Amino acid sequence: MAAPTSYEIGATLLTMQTLNALGVVAPKSDFSDYTDTIVLASGLTRGIGYPSAEWAYGFLTSSQYDVYKSFCSGVGASVYIAMPDNSRVYKRYSANMTLPTRYTIRSGDYIDVVIRFTHLIEAE
Amino acid sequence: MSDNTPARALTADELTAYRNGRSAIKLGLAIQPYNPIFSAQINQTFTAGVGVAELTYDNATGDYTKIVGGMTLYVGSAAGLYDKGIVRIRKNADANKLYIAETFDVNFADNDYVTVIDTFGVWARETRMVGDTLYMDYDVEYAAGLSNDIMACVGGTAAVVFLRDGIAHFAPPSAATNSRAVNLTSIASYAYVADGAINQTDMTTPTPSWDYNAAGLYRWQCTLQDVDGGSTTVYRWVFVSPPEREFELMSSVIGENNGWSFTVKMRNALPSDIPPRALCVLYAMDEDPASIGLLSWYENIIAVGWVDVETMTTSSDDNSVTFSVFSADYWLDKTRAAPLTLSNTSSASYRWDKIYTMTLDAAAAHVIQKRTTLNLVADVFMQEFGVVADVINDGANSALAQINSIGGMYFAELKCNHLGQAFFETDYQIYDGAIPDPDIMTITDADINDGVTVTVKTAHKIALVELNGIESYNGTARIDLYSRAPSINGGGYGTYVNHGNKIFLDQNDANQIAGRIYAKENSAHDSVDFSFAYHTRAFDVAPRQALLFNFDNPARGYALNSRRAIPRRIEHQFIDGIGRTFLSCEIETRSAAVDGVEYHPPTSQDANIETSIPSMPSVDFPSTDLGAYFPTTAPADDLTPCPDGVASVNSSWDKTELDGTDSNKLSAFAYQPCRVKNDSYIDITATFYGDAYSNVHVYGIKSGARVITASITKPSYLFGIRATFTPLSPIDVDGFEINIDAGIGADITYNAGSTAASGSFDAAASGGSADVTLPAGWYAIENNAGPWQTENVANPRMSYKFKISANNGASWSATYGYRQQTNGGDYVLEIGGVLPYETFGYVTRIFYELTSTTLRVAAGSTTFADNSGSMGFIIRNVTLSGRRVTLGTMTIINVCAAGT
């Protein structure tokens, strides 16, 4: 597979599509290299745990919401995503996707939606 | 293939992977499903109060030939239920009957439903007496002959592997590494069966392998057979690509005391999804570093155990079931133990419960194999520490307590590691293993989060350790041993602790253990607690192992660096994809231990026995002029005047010990004026060491002179000797003397103690050597690290030789060592000289008197073609024990009042 150059999502690695192709705009994304940090006895700080990420939208239209919901019928699901890391390099990951359990809906749109991805493991 | 050695030092690459990794971890839970293989209905009636050991059945479904001993049987009021009870299948079924462990507490009834589940657990093998005949498992008679079970070590209880491109490979660790025949014969054959597997390879060797091509739970088995025909079949399991479970850990995964446990909540589950005693495996799906583990194919296992349904709770709120999982020790502790009597024998009249050279590990192996099903489902590693008991009687109320009661006589117990393997071994701090225990890793500042919590003692906790027990049974005499540490009187702070009913190799061993317990209890560091910066499964509470510290700030106030820490409690915590390991260690102080000292407890005074001279119980008589110190006193009131007959009186010696090497301890005296007649005798409670018995004399003393000599006999019913007087006519005496001839005698016991030096030499054919400077005296030289036992892995013994010189090699005293007979028989000791020696486990220990100040140790063989490597040795200080008597009570019989 060619290296990703934009945001992607899919149920499997082979079925990933760009958000653009799915009719969803690119999110404001937040990427964390580690789940947590700890301080060693030497005083050094060390990152531990899987990378995690958040995709945030000011609003999602109902059709865009349906796209995400198609990958995660419940609260959480295993998916594949592509996104930039903190070095601005796009990479593909397997991830656990978690959708909000509570939404604000205004005029049919979903307001201030944050989709969380945890347990990111590079897929390539 | 890998060796089955579940404790080893981490490699530099593995440490780097830990320190650079992110400790990211996903967890998986594999549970043995409800897996019935046979069902039927009972077709018989029962008599209340009578045990049931077999069930006649009808309306069967399934293949009864698939039923094997150890499986689980549900008894229910409807098909598949276990509402009436759960019992163990004790042997293979036949076309009409199921054979179960004798059961009294299940209310069987005609037409009850029985379901055989392909689940194995830890159960008791009940014993039964019929007349004078003892049975196990209802109808297996305690047979004549050696117990020829094999303690099988074939791999962890369960592995979890995953299909990759449709294939999952599996190769258990070598069954030859630690499996051991109880009677110490060689294991001759291995036969593996892996139903459902493909690509089976080397299935009749100890190192087979096979593949699976479909997800599922697979049981495999190994039958080990020794050269005597003894055979043991054991079972283990492999989960292949187990289904993902919706679960969360409700507690840390904890290993402490004797084993491991954890609690999980499974969602979208019903209690019926978790069968009673179901095998349950918590495993890791590590991202970085890749799984680092102790055994190949078991690296991802975090903990293994069986579900205890008594801990199960359900919640309708979240449709969940919560339950706890425990390792085999927990189940052994819930397993009833029958009263046990085992005896040692050195003759050919052995039976299962009359064990030839009954070491404690042989006795524990008997309980494990004959009275439990532990080895059926778990490896059992037995440490040989060479301590022999004459008789073991035990009434412990659980199998674990019974095994640990036996082991406790030498500070050993059974523990389980996180792979489900069990280890019967001595405490790390009390006894040195024959093979050096591994240091798993050196912990640095890069390994731990935050700091270290050290609990410090500011004053000694224990003032005095007292041990009492007997010497390892030598087939003839019981020898009492007592030791105290740090001295006879103890220290100024702390309390007194006593460990009794022990068995020691010898007095020096007792002294060494007393010193180590004292040092352990009074360690400057009570405990050391810290959390790793990552999750690691590299160490465990068993088998014996240690960790080292090397902190940048070595002091940290408590000087931890280079001290060994023994893992006592391990706690794995998992939070949101992160694994962390918390550790509580006990700091090892063995290197600082000082041997305790021998002591002799005072002779007890029985208040109910009136002695003849209560006012003078402790007169210390000089040996040279006895008569001058006798008071001019009338005979004791309670002595009968001679015309009226004779009487018996209790008296006591003025010393508790005679020692042929101590001029002040050649004689002991008892003051008891009396008239000795021709049927008078003295029964003396005493223990004889070396050749003391044949060099002891008893006299009657009058005015400081020996006036009559007794003849000495040693009746079998008397724990000591009888001194019989046969005067031609009655003779008055002031008292009695017991005396031994001066000298250490011919029968000398060599007691190896603390380490005086150590070293190594090149085992090359040309014969390397190593010099050690020591004061002249007696020493013990023994093999230590190095390829001393490389010739036969299955039954290892020291196979190289070493030789000793006191004059820098100008002349060699002798060469010693083991060699293997070429006819395939047992090993024999090849002694080139006459020096005393002893052997235990892998170790040969030679006792040698150094007449100079340089001891040279060298390779003794230039003929072995495989001489290679560096051969380590240890030199220990030695004390000699020879002609010696410990004196107890004395009763003077058939005497009357002097002068009457």
Side-chain angles (χ1 to χ4, degrees):
Chain A
M1 294 176 72
T5 56
S6 66
Y7 290 88
E8 299 176 359
I9 191 167
T12 68
L13 189 62
L14 296 177
T15 58
M16 293 179 74
Q17 297 182 69
T18 64
L19 293 187
N20 189 41
L22 292 167
V24 180
V25 296
K28 181 183 79 174
S29 66
D30 173 304
F31 186 89
S32 175
D33 288 315
Y34 302 96
T35 307
D36 199 359
T37 60
I38 58 172
V39 178
L40 301 178
S42 60
L44 292 174
T45 300
R46 178 178 158 178
I48 57 173
Y50 295 100
S52 61
E54 287 181 355
W55 290 1
Y57 292 93
F59 71 93
L60 286 173
T61 65
S62 57
S63 60
Q64 290 169 334
Y65 166 83
D66 289 343
V67 168
Y68 283 115
K69 200 64 185 172
S70 70
F71 294 107
C72 183
S73 59
V75 176
S78 295
V79 297
Y80 286 81
I81 60 172
M83 67 175 294
D85 64 12
N86 288 332
S87 300
R88 303 179 305 281
V89 177
Y90 279 88
K91 293 176 182 173
R92 291 192 178 93
Y93 304 91
S94 68
N96 289 344
M97 173 181 179
T98 305
L99 285 176
T101 55
R102 192 170 180 179
Y103 294 93
T104 301
I105 299 175
R106 185 187 304 157
S107 302
D109 295 331
Y110 294 77
I111 308 300
D112 293 331
V113 176
V114 177
I115 302 169
R116 181 166 173 73
F117 299 96
T118 61
H119 301 81
L120 268 59
I121 301 174
E122 277 195 56
E124 296 171 289
Chain B
M1 185 278 292
S2 63
D3 286 342
N4 193 357
T5 49
R8 62 170 175 82
L10 290 173
T11 66
D13 287 346
E14 288 171 335
L15 285 173
T16 299
Y18 274 140
R19 289 166 182 162
N20 293 341
R22 61 172 70 237
S23 195
I25 192 169
K26 292 181 181 178
L27 300 179
L29 188 70
I31 300 179
Q32 190 166 30
Y34 172 70
N35 184 21
I37 62 167
F38 179 88
S39 60
Q41 284 184 275
I42 293 175
N43 183 26
Q44 72 181 84
T45 56
F46 300 90
T47 303
V50 176
V52 177
E54 55 188 48
L55 299 169
T56 302
Y57 65 79
D58 59 8
N59 299 327
T61 301
D63 182 357
Y64 73 84
T65 64
K66 299 293 186 186
I67 300 171
V68 298
M71 286 182 171
T72 303
L73 182 75
Y74 288 179
V75 183
S77 56
L81 297 186
Y82 56 86
D83 55 326
K84 301 194 81 169
I86 301 173
V87 298
R88 175 178 62 92
I89 298 287
R90 62 182 165 86
K91 65 179 181 181
N92 299 357
D94 61 31
N96 301 305
K97 287 183 179 177
L98 299 171
Y99 299 95
I100 62 173
E102 188 175 24
T103 303
F104 293 87
D105 54 356
V106 173
N107 186 23
F108 294 101
D110 192 18
N111 292 322
D112 278 352
Y113 291 82
V114 289
T115 309
V116 180
I117 310 297
D118 190 0
T119 298
F120 292 64
V122 178
W123 298 83
R125 295 185 196 270
E126 298 286 358
T127 56
R128 186 171 69 113
M129 289 293 292
V130 178
D132 292 331
T133 305
L134 178 60
Y135 294 86
M136 60 162 264
D137 255 358
Y138 191 75
D139 57 4
V140 182
E141 184 179 347
Y142 261 52
L146 290 170
S147 171
N148 52 5
D149 292 312
I150 295 170
M151 307 302 287
C153 296
V154 301
T157 299
V160 179
V161 299
F162 291 89
L163 295 166
R164 300 276 187 262
D165 298 325
I167 293 292
H169 187 64
F170 180 71
S174 172
T177 311
N178 276 298
S179 296
R180 198 192 74 167
V182 172
N183 60 6
L184 299 181
T185 57
S186 300
I187 297 174
S189 68
Y190 305 85
Y192 285 83
V193 175
D195 289 339
I198 61 172
N199 301 331
Q200 300 184 17
T201 305
D202 298 331
M203 299 297 278
T204 57
T205 75
T207 55
S209 67
W210 56 82
D211 295 336
Y212 297 102
N213 60 1
L217 172 60
Y218 297 88
R219 172 163 53 87
W220 57 274
Q221 69 183 62
C222 178
T223 300
L224 303 89
Q225 193 166 46
D226 68 11
V227 293
D228 291 340
S231 178
T232 295
T233 298
V234 298
Y235 304 95
R236 305 289 184 266
W237 289 263
V238 179
F239 289 91
V240 178
S241 293
E244 283 196 24
R245 302 279 188 176
E246 288 188 38
F247 77 100
E248 59 183 302
L249 274 174
M250 301 303 290
S251 70
S252 299
V253 182
I254 295 174
E256 62 180 341
N257 300 324
N258 295 89
W260 286 79
S261 65
F262 60 93
T263 300
V264 297
K265 176 190 276 189
M266 272 184 58
R267 299 190 183 280
N268 296 319
L270 296 171
S272 56
D273 295 330
I274 300 109
R277 292 178 178 241
L279 181 63
C280 188
V281 184
L282 183 70
Y283 60 94
M285 293 178 280
D286 299 358
E287 184 224 3
D288 185 16
S291 285
I292 298 171
L294 304 173
L295 287 182
S296 295
W297 304 102
Y298 294 87
E299 294 96 334
N300 57 346
I301 305 300
I302 297 174
V304 175
W306 289 268
V307 173
D308 186 355
V309 292
E310 291 178 10
T311 65
M312 191 175 286
T313 59
T314 60
S315 170
S316 57
D317 288 345
D318 56 3
N319 197 25
S320 68
V321 180
T322 302
F323 56 90
S324 296
V325 179
F326 300 94
S327 55
D329 58 292
Y330 172 88
W331 296 98
L332 282 174
D333 202 32
K334 291 177 73 109
T335 299
R336 196 192 91 176
L340 174 78
T341 297
L342 300 174
S343 58
N344 174 77
T345 181
S346 57
S347 70
S349 62
Y350 29 71
R351 210 175 65 164
W352 286 358
D353 54 354
K354 291 181 179 175
I355 298 175
Y356 188 79
T357 309
M358 186 172 67
T359 57
L360 294 185
D361 51 286
H366 173 93
V367 175
I368 291 168
Q369 289 287 21
K370 302 298 186 191
R371 302 200 172 196
T372 79
T373 63
L374 175 63
N375 200 204
L376 206 62
V377 297
D379 287 1
V380 184
F381 294 69
M382 303 298 291
Q383 182 189 14
E384 295 176 43
F385 35 85
V387 178
V388 178
D390 184 17
V391 175
I392 291 175
N393 288 301
D394 194 277
N397 58 4
S398 79
L400 182 67
Q402 194 160 77
I403 294 165
N404 288 344
S405 173
I406 293 170
M409 286 188 269
Y410 200 64
F411 303 94
E413 61 181 336
L414 190 85
K415 294 182 175 183
C416 294
N417 70 358
H418 70 280
L419 303 179
Q421 298 170 303
F423 302 84
F424 180 76
E425 58 186 17
T426 50
D427 187 276
Y428 184 98
Q429 301 225 50
I430 304 297
Y431 176 76
D432 291 326
I435 301 174
D437 300 304
D439 293 327
I440 303 297
M441 64 181 289
T442 298
I443 298 167
T444 69
D445 294 74
D447 295 301
I448 61 172
N449 174 212
D450 292 333
V452 176
T453 302
V454 182
T455 307
V456 178
K457 292 193 189 80
T458 54
H460 278 182
K461 187 171 144 188
I462 300 298
L464 177 67
V465 173
E466 180 175 307
L467 303 183
N468 62 71
I470 57 176
E471 187 170 279
S472 180
Y473 186 60
N474 62 9
T476 55
R478 171 193 150 123
I479 299 173
D480 295 327
L481 298 175
Y482 301 90
S483 183
R484 281 184 171 182
S487 63
I488 293 289
N489 296 322
Y493 288 95
T495 59
Y496 161 91
V497 293
N498 175 277
H499 296 275
N501 195 27
K502 304 296 182 186
I503 304 178
F504 304 102
L505 294 170
D506 51 35
Q507 182 66 54
N508 274 50
D509 187 44
N511 293 346
Q512 189 173 64
I513 290 175
R516 288 181 173 181
I517 293 173
Y518 180 79
K520 173 179 183 290
E521 299 292 345
N522 291 322
S523 165
H525 318 92
D526 209 0
S527 67
V528 178
D529 300 277
F530 56 93
S531 61
F532 277 87
Y534 43 79
H535 166 68
T536 171
R537 301 180 292 278
F539 45 81
D540 210 315
V541 292
R544 295 157 54 105
Q545 57 193 267
L547 303 161
L548 289 167
F549 295 112
N550 185 22
F551 294 124
D552 292 343
N553 177 357
R556 288 187 180 274
Y558 311 116
L560 293 175
N561 280 5
S562 79
R563 306 295 293 271
R564 283 185 167 77
I566 298 99
R568 299 296 192 190
R569 185 179 193 277
I570 298 164
E571 179 179 349
H572 297 310
Q573 289 188 359
F574 301 96
I575 305 166
D576 190 24
I578 306 169
R580 298 272 303 285
T581 299
F582 296 80
L583 191 63
S584 180
C585 293
E586 198 170 84
I587 293 294
E588 193 255 340
T589 55
R590 189 166 52 193
S591 60
V594 175
D595 290 355
V597 296
E598 178 182 2
Y599 93 105
H600 297 279
T603 303
S604 62
Q605 299 292 319
D606 189 336
N608 294 319
I609 297 176
E610 186 181 358
T611 60
S612 59
I613 48 172
S615 60
M616 300 186 64
S618 59
V619 177
D620 191 5
F621 300 111
S623 61
T624 54
D625 188 10
L626 184 67
Y629 280 81
F630 277 154
T632 53
T633 177
D637 292 341
D638 58 352
L639 276 184
T640 309
C642 294
D644 297 337
V646 292
S648 300
V649 292
N650 295 304
S651 186
S652 59
W653 301 106
D654 67 334
K655 292 186 179 69
T656 59
E657 181 187 31
L658 301 180
D659 189 336
T661 63
D662 187 341
S663 60
N664 294 317
K665 292 184 178 178
L666 295 178
S667 290
F669 297 91
Y671 172 62
Q672 178 55 65
C674 63
R675 174 164 292 183
V676 174
K677 307 179 72 172
N678 66 357
D679 57 355
S680 301
Y681 59 93
I682 309 174
D683 281 345
I684 302 167
T685 303
T687 303
F688 294 86
Y689 300 88
D691 62 357
Y693 170 66
S694 58
N695 290 280
V696 69
H697 316 282
V698 175
Y699 305 101
I701 301 294
K702 181 67 176 176
S703 300
R706 296 168 178 168
V707 295
I708 187 169
T709 303
S711 60
I712 307 296
T713 57
K714 196 173 183 182
S716 60
Y717 50 84
L718 187 63
F719 191 63
I721 58 172
R722 173 166 293 175
T724 304
F725 297 97
T726 53
L728 294 175
S729 59
I731 183 171
D732 286 352
V733 298
D734 297 325
F736 300 92
E737 174 189 4
I738 183 169
N739 159 271
I740 61 170
D741 297 333
I744 195 168
D747 185 4
I748 302 172
T749 301
Y750 301 85
N751 301 307
S754 57
T755 301
S758 62
S760 63
F761 57 81
D762 182 4
S766 58
S769 65
D771 290 344
V772 180
T773 301
L774 292 165
W778 277 91
Y779 294 96
I781 301 98
E782 65 188 50
N783 60 305
N784 184 28
W788 287 103
Q789 61 277 346
T790 56
E791 282 200 339
N792 187 318
V793 174
N795 188 13
R797 290 287 190 276
M798 195 186 84
S799 53
Y800 293 98
K801 300 178 181 179
F802 59 88
K803 56 185 179 180
I804 310 164
S805 171
N807 55 9
N808 299 320
S811 62
W812 296 97
S813 294
T815 61
Y816 305 91
Y818 276 110
R819 66 178 172 82
Q820 184 179 16
Q821 286 183 332
T822 55
N823 60 6
D826 203 354
Y827 286 77
V828 297
L829 187 66
E830 181 184 47
I831 292 294
V834 293
L835 291 184
Y837 68 94
E838 63 185 15
T839 66
F840 49 93
Y842 306 99
V843 175
T844 294
R845 179 180 285 164
I846 305 297
F847 296 98
Y848 181 77
E849 185 176 18
L850 178 63
T851 54
S852 67
T853 57
T854 301
L855 180 65
R856 175 168 293 184
V857 184
S861 165
T862 59
T863 57
F864 286 172
D866 57 350
N867 273 13
S868 65
S870 178
M871 315 295 278
F873 61 86
I874 290 175
I875 300 174
R876 295 184 183 277
N877 294 307
V878 168
T879 57
L880 306 185
S881 176
R883 185 177 298 157
R884 189 165 69 88
V885 181
T886 55
L887 294 171
T889 59
M890 63 181 294
T891 305
I892 307 165
I893 300 164
N894 293 344
V895 293
C896 53
T900 62

